[in-house]
Amino acid sequence: MILEKNGRMDGEDIVVYDASRNIPEFFRRYVNAGLPKAVKFQDVYSCVEDRSEPIHWSGQVNGEVSYLPSCLTQAAYLINCCDLKGHSMGGVTLCAKNHFGSVINSDKKASPLVAGLHEFVSPLIKSNYTPYVDLESNPHIGRKTILYLIDGLVGAVSERSTGAVGLEEYSWKQPPFCGALPSSIFLSQDPVAIDSVAADFLCTEPFMLEHNFVLRKFGVKVTEYLREMAIADKPPSSVKYVFVKNSLGVHEHWKDHVEKKYS
């Protein structure tokens, strides 16, 4: 997250935050290596809610009132950086779900759960309403985001992945990887398009399908939230989203996993 200062970006102008997770010391050390001034970090232990910015949900979200972190509401620009990763409930967790880390309430370590958001993550839920639209269209998030980045150096099965992370444990089978790690970085200025492309990789990769039950059972159906985001001004759910005026981005699936072509 970049704080505006005379058009420059120094280490002291940057805040890396996740309101629901711990940011370990080794990560802080690596980020600050080589930077002239230290980057600031805000995590589950130090993020403070902005009480003037309660999050407005457009659907029937029945959890506790939640807030955005003050480091976000005070920022001028935002970079959304997430992992190329599956999820044990939703199948995939990418840029959209990354903003569950922008939700604060009384239980910081389980704030999305306390907010009542997880019931809308699973493809088993019939409602097409998704809190991802409310988060991405929030003025402090969508209007401030200048770049979406997905770290695909390694593709993890889910948030529960543990143990060694290497070629033997995480090699991908589909072309062009063919037994190598995905070793990829995804970049976009479109929050819907980048999740659409990343989800296509995850939903067709044999390694992911073998180890992720939700992906194996539902396939691309786990991306229904992207359809809702793409036509959020006239969504399939018929929900009137608070901050939405237009589409949030472009959603489509590739022709096939070999050529990987889009229209």
Side-chain angles (χ1 to χ4, degrees), residues 69 150 153 160 191 197 208 213:
I150 298 179
L153 299 180
R160 299 178 180 178
V197 173
M208 299 298 298
F213 168 77

Side-chain angles (χ1 to χ4, degrees), residues 58-97:
S58 305
Q60 294 298 314
V61 179
N62 299 315
E64 186 178 306
V65 174
S66 301
Y67 302 87
L68 296 175
S70 58
C71 59
L72 170 58
T73 60
Q74 294 169 9
Y77 305 106
L78 181 66
I79 295 175
N80 185 335
C81 179
C82 71
D83 296 324
L84 182 66
K85 187 169 64 177
H87 191 268
S88 59
M89 288 178 60
V92 299
T93 174
L94 299 164
C95 287
K97 190 175 180 297

Side-chain angles (χ1 to χ4, degrees), residues 78-151:
L78 181 66
I79 295 175
N80 185 335
C81 179
C82 71
D83 296 324
L84 182 66
K85 187 169 64 177
H87 191 268
S88 59
M89 288 178 60
V92 299
T93 174
L94 299 164
C95 287
K97 190 175 180 297
N98 205 29
H99 276 296
F100 276 18
S102 297
V103 177
I104 303 181
N105 48 47
S106 64
D107 189 342
K108 287 188 175 181
K109 291 185 178 180
S111 50
L113 181 64
V114 173
L117 304 182
H118 276 89
E119 66 177 282
F120 300 102
V121 171
S122 172
L124 291 170
I125 303 300
K126 294 181 179 180
S127 171
N128 286 329
Y129 164 74
T130 171
Y132 299 151
V133 173
D134 281 321
L135 288 168
E136 183 56 41
S137 61
N138 187 290
H140 285 292
I141 295 176
R143 293 179 188 174
K144 291 182 178 181
T145 306
I146 58 174
L147 182 66
Y148 298 88
L149 185 154
I150 298 179
D151 177 354

